[in-house]
Amino acid sequence: MDKKNLQNTLSIKSFSLLIKLSKNHFLKGKVNWLKRKLKSNRLYTYLRKSVRKPRQTIKGDLRGNNNVINNEGLLFNVKLDIIGDNNLLEIGKNSTISNVTIYIRGSNHTLKIAENCHYKGGSIWFEDNDCKIVIQSHTTVESAHLTVTEPESKILIGTDCMLSNEIVFRTGDSHSIIDLTTKKRINYAADIVIGNHVWIGARSTILKGVCLGDNSIIGLNSVVTKNVPANCLAAGIPAKVIKTNVDWMRDRIYE
């Protein structure tokens, strides 16, 4: 190698080394900067201010003794209207409740919404005593009015259910119907039980005593007064089974 080529080679190597040293110097400077920030706690404060949790909004009236709210989810524009004793509200992790009124009159009621649920609008209504509403994990509600009335009534909704808009559940009629011959009441409340992975279409009403089987589907604008077996599609007023041996999924698929 001649002297000129040797000088060029050394120049290129020196330039590459200079770039590496510059990068190392830059990185070293950044590391030192981070160390100083962490040491002074400024970086932690900066990150804490920059990444804030969504602000929850809960308003309303809570009157009585030993009412307990265990919330591990997020509540937005939720109104509480509670008068009574020993009522329990539990919201699971990663669940969001928004634009919902929770109305309670009486004592010893229980509302449990499990993890990863989303309830986007409507109301949850308790009357009398010892009633229960349970919504299992991964269930979504666009908007619904869930009502339990009369002692020990229940609404039980399984996992991964999908409720559309303006759904109504009622375990009772709210007023008494009397048989004129016996002079006795004939319309007592009855539980509503929804299985796992049930899809309920918009503006449907589920009345007292109804059980919907796993993977069932209720067509929109239906009034359900009787049980629907698993893997069946029911629709109408009153709802009737119109197709069997079906299932559903949240995603639209194309063959």
Side-chain angles (χ1 to χ4, degrees):
M1 184 180 295
D2 59 29
K3 185 176 181 180
K4 187 176 180 179
N5 289 337
L6 179 61
Q7 287 178 344
N8 290 337
T9 304
L10 290 174
S11 298
I12 293 171
K13 289 183 177 179
S14 299
F15 183 70
S16 300
L17 181 61
L18 181 61
I19 291 174
K20 290 181 180 179
L21 289 173
S22 298
K23 287 182 178 179
N24 290 338
H25 180 73
F26 175 77
L27 292 174
K28 186 177 181 181
K30 284 294 181 182
V31 170
N32 290 334
W33 178 83
L34 286 171
K35 286 180 178 179
R36 289 196 302 272
K37 290 294 184 182
L38 286 170
K39 189 174 181 180
S40 63
N41 209 33
R42 291 176 186 171
L43 180 62
Y44 171 76
T45 304
Y46 170 77
L47 291 174
R48 185 177 167 185
K49 289 181 178 179
S50 299
V51 184
R52 295 182 177 178
K53 292 182 179 180
R55 184 177 179 182
Q56 300 189 63
T57 52
I58 307 171
K59 56 186 179 181
D61 192 16
L62 179 61
R63 286 183 278 171
N65 299 311
N66 300 317
N67 293 304
V68 176
I69 301 175
N70 294 328
N71 176 32
E72 295 186 85
L74 294 173
L75 307 182
F76 301 102
N77 193 30
V78 172
K79 180 181 178 182
L80 301 179
D81 187 354
I82 299 173
I83 301 177
D85 302 324
N86 304 309
N87 296 298
L88 173 64
L89 280 62
E90 289 188 355
I91 312 298
K93 291 182 179 179
N94 302 317
S95 288
T96 57
I97 314 298
S98 57
N99 305 309
V100 172
T101 296
I102 299 175
Y103 177 95
I104 294 179
R105 292 295 182 271
S107 300
N108 304 308
H109 295 302
T110 299
L111 170 63
K112 291 187 177 182
I113 299 177
E115 65 276 4
N116 299 299
C117 291
H118 303 285
Y119 198 127
K120 300 179 182 179
S123 59
I124 299 173
W125 194 280
F126 291 84
E127 291 185 8
D128 302 297
N129 299 303
D130 302 294
C131 295
K132 181 180 288 188
I133 295 177
V134 177
I135 302 175
Q136 299 291 358
S137 63
H138 297 90
T139 286
T140 58
V141 181
E142 294 301 315
S143 67
H145 176 66
L146 308 183
T147 304
V148 282
T149 60
E150 302 188 32
E152 300 184 359
S153 292
K154 299 180 184 68
I155 292 175
L156 307 177
I157 301 174
T159 62
D160 191 34
C161 291
M162 184 171 67
L163 280 61
S164 187
N165 297 298
E166 301 178 48
I167 306 298
V168 175
F169 282 31
R170 300 183 64 90
T171 63
D173 302 325
S174 296
H175 309 283
S176 299
I177 298 175
I178 308 299
D179 183 285
L180 291 177
T181 301
T182 64
K183 306 300 181 183
K184 293 182 178 181
R185 184 183 173 192
I186 58 174
N187 67 326
Y188 287 100
D191 298 342
I192 294 173
V193 180
I194 310 300
N196 298 320
H197 192 64
V198 173
W199 174 12
I200 301 178
R203 296 178 297 281
S204 292
T205 298
I206 314 299
L207 294 179
K208 61 183 181 180
V210 166
C211 294
L212 303 181
D214 294 347
N215 312 311
S216 58
I217 305 166
I218 305 300
L220 58 81
N221 291 314
S222 296
V223 177
V224 185
T225 60
K226 295 182 180 179
N227 296 346
V228 176
N231 297 101
C232 288
L233 167 60
I237 303 177
K240 296 180 180 179
V241 173
I242 58 177
K243 195 168 184 62
T244 61
N245 195 34
V246 295
D247 200 349
W248 65 274
M249 60 192 306
R250 292 176 185 265
D251 297 330
R252 287 192 298 271
I253 59 174
Y254 304 95
E255 295 181 354

